[in-house]
Amino acid sequence: MTARRVFLGFFGLFAATIAFAILGTLSLFIGPVRDFFMPYYESLVAAPTWTYMALLPVITLALYWETLGPWKSVLFLLAASLIGAGSELLGTNTGIPFAPYSYTDRLGPKILGDVPYFIPTSWYALSLLSYDLGGRLRVGVAGRAIATAVLMIVWDVSLDPAMNQGGGTFVFWDYPGGGPYFGMPWVNWYGWFVTSILIALAFEVLGGMRPAPDKLTLKWAEPVYALNVLFPISICLLYGLPVAGVIGLVTLAASLALIRWRWPHSRTSGLEADRPVLV
């Protein structure tokens, strides 16, 4: 079985999980349906959330498996997950670099009782997608690291409002001091920026990756990234946070438009992506 088939299989399940979550939420606007499912509401929210978090790193790993090869794929997974875990453990215990915050029990068991096990691998999954897309801007090593961090923050533009407020229903993490951006302090994005840059530089130290080196990543990196950003956007729109959802849509559209402008191969058959790109 090729990496492409594995990727497409898991991506189909991934997309179905997101669709289930969105459609299930929409169904709650129908009175009789809401009344019937309300006793099972917590389980119906937890199941797709945990499935989404579990599939996230698997999809990224399969997407880049042939591009990076087995050895580098595992190293990238370990490096990004360790940096993400270290940053999160530091943050939950000291408030540095994200500001004081804590995770609720909604994402399951936690590392050292502080950080859910799903979180470090989610850093890997979105960081590698952002690293690939950031490389398509053709701005050099330092520029690529910064672009990676910016694309990660674009994800968080809607993710944080969705997860720390959840429309007042479900809260996955909490800032006890609050903050001006839908309950989040601005300094949190500094933490995202620093952590993402460290992960991007770790990828470089481990050998890096040419942007969009094969047809699979050329075709699917943008849709996978976009789907991940659109999921929290939909949560914001469905749970009474329309401004956060619109901000997320605008930043996502602007980011993808810039990538398409700087990387015209995204609009071709993918054959040109096999040629070296000078950055």
Side-chain angles (χ1 to χ4, degrees):
M1 183 177 292
T2 65
R4 177 183 178 83
R5 291 180 178 177
V6 172
F7 164 74
L8 291 175
F10 278 112
F11 182 77
L13 180 58
F14 185 71
T17 299
I18 292 176
F20 175 84
I22 294 173
L23 293 174
T25 300
L26 286 172
S27 71
L28 295 178
F29 289 95
I30 304 173
V33 175
R34 181 180 62 250
D35 294 340
F36 178 81
F37 284 109
M38 192 54 67
Y40 316 103
Y41 183 60
E42 289 202 19
S43 297
L44 290 172
V45 171
T49 301
W50 286 31
T51 303
Y52 166 84
M53 297 293 288
L55 288 173
L56 188 53
V58 176
I59 290 170
T60 299
L61 190 67
L63 179 60
Y64 292 99
W65 185 262
E66 291 186 354
T67 295
L68 297 173
W71 179 240
K72 190 183 285 189
S73 292
V74 173
L75 286 178
F76 274 34
L77 169 62
L78 291 175
S81 297
L82 287 172
I83 292 172
S87 185
E88 293 276 357
L89 287 169
L90 182 65
T92 51
N93 283 278
T94 69
I96 299 172
F98 301 102
Y101 72 105
S102 61
Y103 285 97
T104 67
D105 294 329
R106 298 293 188 186
L107 291 176
K110 304 174 185 177
I111 302 170
L112 301 179
D114 295 312
V115 179
Y117 284 96
F118 286 128
I119 296 299
T121 51
S122 69
W123 276 101
Y124 153 76
L126 265 296
S127 290
L128 186 50
L129 285 164
S130 298
Y131 178 73
D132 178 12
L133 297 178
R136 300 184 194 190
L137 295 175
R138 300 182 291 184
V139 287
V141 173
R144 186 178 195 175
I146 292 172
T148 300
V150 171
L151 288 169
M152 288 292 286
I153 291 173
V154 168
W155 181 40
D156 192 57
V157 163
S158 54
L159 180 69
D160 233 291
M163 297 295 103
N164 87 71
Q165 292 195 6
T169 304
F170 266 76
V171 175
F172 292 86
W173 56 78
D174 176 61
Y175 300 95
Y181 187 76
F182 304 99
M184 181 201 82
W186 295 116
V187 72
N188 178 60
W189 281 342
Y190 169 78
W192 277 72
F193 190 81
V194 171
T195 303
S196 301
I197 283 184
L198 289 175
I199 292 174
L201 294 178
F203 290 158
E204 291 289 339
V205 170
L206 293 171
M209 179 182 68
R210 282 197 302 117
D214 60 37
K215 292 182 181 180
L216 183 63
T217 57
L218 178 65
K219 179 179 180 180
W220 286 100
E222 286 182 50
V224 173
Y225 173 81
L227 184 60
N228 277 287
V229 179
L230 286 169
F231 188 26
I233 287 173
S234 68
I235 294 173
C236 288
L237 295 175
L238 290 169
Y239 282 96
L241 299 168
V243 175
V246 171
I247 294 173
L249 282 172
V250 171
T251 54
L252 172 62
S255 300
L256 294 180
L258 179 60
I259 292 167
R260 287 297 183 97
W261 175 60
R262 292 289 295 169
W263 186 258
H265 301 323
S266 295
R267 299 188 293 273
T268 68
S269 65
L271 297 177
E272 295 91 336
D274 294 326
R275 301 174 184 172
V277 176
L278 297 178
V279 294

